[in-house]
Amino acid sequence: MTSAHGKVILLGEHSVVYGRPALAAAISPGAEAAARDGDGASLTVAPWSTTFRAGDGSDLGRALDALAGSFATSDFHLDATLHLPGGGGLGSSAALGVACARALAELRGLALDDARLLDAALAWERVFHGTPSGVDHTLAALGGIGVFVKGEGLRPLRACPRLRLCIGDTGERGSTKEMVGAVAAAYARRPEATAKTFDAVASLVRNGALAVEAGDLRGLGELMNLNQALLASLMVSTERIEDLCRAARAAGANGAKLTGAGGGGCVIAVAGEREAEVLAAWRALGAKAVAVEVGA
Ligand code: PMV
């Protein structure tokens, strides 16, 4: 059985697509997979109990094709377990891709260094996201917590005290491709103003890395609130996301924001001592809510 991490973007989604840094952390477990010989390329995903096949027209079918191409092999079956909500902004597709790539390489006795694993996972992710920044599959493969820059990779933070986060699921699902497209449209309409927004997010990310290294949860929370306002100005927030962010702050969280592409998905909050209150406030709004330690 091989495994891979999920991820949360603490600060910097969307602007990371435009070369600005993002502060991201792994969450575990993300996904697990095991491979055996099969007929064609296929994948069964628990807990959905659904089987996908290369050539079946589904995104996962296309991702299997990409995986088979990356390792120049066919006739395998993968059994995977996803421990994250699908499409919720927690890097579920990347976690599946990395766990499956590891399982397939193990089955075929292929040496898999980080570079080859990241290449295979990027080919998988392109099926779902078009032109991903790479933050999801890099965190899925490498874990930890750090500053990610497209084309440069992940710089792990120098020091990282324990960091606990509350994660609330809005129950809504946005499409990452559509959200990334909406930001691209905003950028095309108002390039200067949108670039300024990206630059503002970049400075939040730089300060956020320092705040996490210093264990300054209050500072991190304030930066998250500012990032959320900028994400809303890019039109990737929703009423439900705003409701959950407001509820977290009212329950005593230092800060809250969406994580991932937005348009739905999950919200994160830094709650410190008020973790139980934040989780209760979200559950009262009908959201699934958990507290996790990130950066494994
Ligand atoms: O929704 P997710 O978990 O796939 O995160 C997308 C993050 C974006 O910055 C919006 C896109 C990207 O490729 O980095």
Side-chain angles (χ1 to χ4, degrees):
M1 192 67 98
T2 58
S3 64
H5 307 279
K7 67 96 192 46
V8 285
I9 298 181
L10 296 167
L11 297 164
E13 46 277 274
H14 286 292
S15 41
V16 70
V17 174
Y18 297 83
R20 274 52 165 204
L23 180 61
I27 49 175
S28 295
E32 293 170 307
R36 56 181 159 81
D37 288 319
D39 186 12
S42 57
L43 163 68
T44 302
V45 184
W48 311 329
S49 309
T50 310
T51 298
F52 304 86
R53 293 181 181 283
D56 68 4
S58 68
D59 276 353
L60 274 168
R62 276 186 282 276
L64 280 172
D65 261 330
L67 189 63
S70 293
F71 292 120
T73 185
S74 54
D75 297 322
F76 57 83
H77 179 77
L78 291 152
D79 278 300
T81 304
L82 189 57
H83 298 286
L84 305 164
L90 301 181
S92 55
S93 64
L96 262 186
V98 168
C100 287
R102 285 187 166 137
L104 187 54
E106 201 173 280
L107 176 73
R108 294 291 182 246
L110 301 170
L112 194 58
D113 59 13
D114 285 348
R116 189 159 186 209
L117 173 60
L118 290 173
D119 278 351
L122 177 62
W124 171 287
E125 276 290 273
R126 282 207 174 107
V127 171
F128 300 94
H129 297 328
T131 53
S133 67
V135 62
D136 285 24
H137 73 271
T138 301
L139 262 294
L142 305 181
I145 176 165
V147 174
F148 176 87
V149 177
K150 187 177 175 178
E152 292 178 16
L154 185 72
R155 177 180 65 77
L157 293 192
R158 274 190 297 276
C160 184
R162 272 174 87 231
L163 178 58
R164 281 181 71 81
L165 285 183
C166 296
I167 302 181
D169 191 338
T170 62
E172 300 171 332
R173 287 296 175 263
S175 143
T176 297
K177 250 187 206 167
E178 275 172 29
M179 291 297 126
V180 170
V183 174
Y187 189 48
R189 258 194 328 271
R190 302 192 312 139
E192 277 176 26
T194 310
K196 277 191 186 138
T197 301
F198 295 155
D199 289 339
V201 174
S203 67
L204 300 181
V205 170
R206 284 189 285 273
N207 286 309
L210 295 174
V212 173
E213 284 176 338
D216 176 8
L217 295 187
R218 187 185 288 268
L220 176 64
E222 279 166 14
L223 295 165
M224 284 168 53
N225 287 338
L226 291 168
N227 195 172
Q228 176 59 27
L230 292 170
L231 286 163
S233 79
L234 292 171
M235 311 298 284
V236 296
S237 190
T238 65
E239 261 178 54
R240 176 89 171 142
I241 289 171
E242 296 299 328
D243 284 348
L244 294 194
C245 288
R246 251 194 311 274
R249 292 174 198 133
N254 296 316
K257 64 181 275 294
L258 65 81
T259 190
C266 290
V267 167
I268 56 172
V270 183
E273 310 269 282
R274 309 303 292 271
E275 193 173 286
E277 288 84 347
V278 169
L279 296 178
W282 282 346
R283 288 178 187 139
L285 291 174
K288 280 193 186 142
V290 289
V292 296
E293 194 159 320
V294 301

